[in-house]
Amino acid sequence: MELNSIKPSSGAKHAKRRVGRGIGSGLGKTAGRGHKGQKSRAGGYHKVGFEGGQMPLQRRLPKRGFKSHLLKFNAEINLSELNALGADEVDLLMLKAVGLVGELVRNVKVVKSGELTRKVVLKGIGATAGAKVVIEAAGGSLVD
């Protein structure tokens, strides 16, 4: 194989459509644009979603919902994940190292889901009221 003999596979390249080049081409005169109207004119078009002056769909529908840009910095773990961790003291760096929370996370909260059978001390990690009761019942504590 030589560099000067390399060709694209058949059907990969095709000639560009040349419009407005006479009757015989099949795309002469109006060049496939039809007769008259905004779409036939040079530069005559409208923005996306324009409905001819009618109130566009995206403005007729109600606005709803909100997604905070701070969500990527917050994470939550449940009691069963905490139990499976097998550590006596848990902090944010440890959770990141194990892969339970993402690298961008700054705030972690423990939620009451699953069971906790071992004593765990949480350092710099929050907990919901229900989770706090379960952690303290198991002999653990929360340290700020």
Side-chain angles (χ1 to χ4, degrees):
M1 181 187 281
E2 301 291 328
L3 282 175
N4 63 353
S5 67
I6 297 173
K7 290 181 181 173
S9 56
S10 62
K13 305 279 273 181
H14 52 86
K16 190 171 182 233
R17 178 179 291 164
R18 296 183 72 222
V19 297
R21 293 294 183 277
I23 296 168
S25 70
L27 287 167
K29 195 184 171 219
T30 56
R33 289 173 171 254
H35 291 277
K36 297 187 183 174
Q38 187 178 21
K39 289 201 242 179
S40 72
R41 320 259 186 236
Y45 219 65
H46 51 78
K47 62 186 176 202
V48 175
F50 184 68
E51 298 183 21
Q54 172 176 300
M55 188 62 70
L57 183 67
Q58 77 271 17
R59 291 190 58 202
R60 287 197 300 261
L61 299 175
K63 291 196 285 187
R64 186 166 180 277
F66 168 77
K67 187 171 181 182
S68 173
H69 65 283
L70 299 173
L71 281 176
K72 61 187 171 199
F73 301 119
N74 300 326
E76 51 185 50
I77 60 170
N78 56 36
L79 291 170
S80 52
E81 288 172 337
L82 208 57
N83 202 35
L85 202 56
D88 295 330
E89 288 190 0
V90 179
D91 63 348
L92 183 59
L93 290 173
M94 183 186 184
L95 292 174
K96 284 183 181 181
V98 176
L100 278 176
V101 297
E103 287 298 316
L104 291 174
V105 172
R106 294 181 197 156
N107 306 314
V108 179
K109 192 176 248 190
V110 180
V111 293
K112 185 186 173 189
S113 175
E115 291 183 9
L116 183 68
T117 55
R118 43 196 335 280
K119 179 183 173 184
V120 177
V121 177
L122 301 177
K123 290 191 172 180
I125 296 174
T128 61
K132 192 173 181 180
V133 169
V134 174
I135 290 166
E136 288 172 349
S141 63
L142 278 80
V143 181
D144 285 333

